[in-house]
Amino acid sequence: MNTVTLWGRLARDPVIKWVELKDSQEKMCIARYTLAVNRPFGNKNKDNSQTADFIPCVTFGKNAEIAQKMFRKGTALVINGRLNSGSYTNKEGQKVFFLDVQVDRQEFTERKAVQEQKAEADASKENKTSVEEDLPQPYTPEDMGMTFYPEDGSEQEPEQNFMEFGMEM
């Protein structure tokens, strides 16, 4: 079985391409993006920072259109798909092998309000001049899609914090 599930953040904005299908006049959207996936907590660099893998992903059709409209660098996602490998000959005549995840389903792992707050914070950072203010801030548990119960022992239900944007292929 060829199944891949990954949780991570977009390393950069998606690259969008529209292609015309051979058999018809219709155009199809293709989105390529890189998902930064943290390694388990045991793998840390010498400077105690966590390492990440950068996984190339590709999606087609409605999923790609959603990526074009809603995905930006830093967007937290969970994706489901399959590992896809292949090869092609580049302009220099060399055979190039590739490996990527063909995404069938993609879901946000943050609320829209959190994403908007980050976008506003990024916009305000462009106007700051202090070096200390430009340092990256650590993620909060809410940023990572985690929900905590109150310490008073009440059994309050967690809020739903996943928005699904999948499609059947």
Side-chain angles (χ1 to χ4, degrees), residues 87-151:
S87 66
Y88 63 93
T89 304
N90 66 11
K91 294 177 183 176
E92 290 83 34
Q94 298 172 332
K95 194 166 192 170
V96 178
F97 294 90
F98 68 89
L99 188 65
D100 59 18
V101 175
Q102 186 170 337
V103 178
D104 297 324
R105 186 175 173 175
Q106 51 199 17
E107 299 177 22
F108 287 103
T109 59
E110 291 179 324
R111 293 185 205 140
K112 189 174 182 179
V114 173
Q115 292 176 0
E116 289 172 355
Q117 288 173 353
K118 286 185 179 189
E120 289 174 11
D122 289 344
S124 68
K125 279 184 183 180
E126 293 175 7
N127 299 327
K128 294 179 182 176
T129 57
S130 170
V131 175
E132 288 183 24
E133 292 175 340
D134 291 336
L135 293 175
Q137 299 299 312
Y139 290 112
T140 65
E142 291 80 16
D143 290 342
M144 299 180 351
M146 296 179 183
T147 305
F148 291 93
Y149 292 99
E151 292 186 61

Side-chain angles (χ1 to χ4, degrees), residues 17-21 26-30:
K17 186 183 223 183
W18 286 87
V19 295
E20 191 170 316
L21 301 175
E26 294 181 34
K27 290 190 174 187
M28 180 175 61
C29 187
I30 301 172

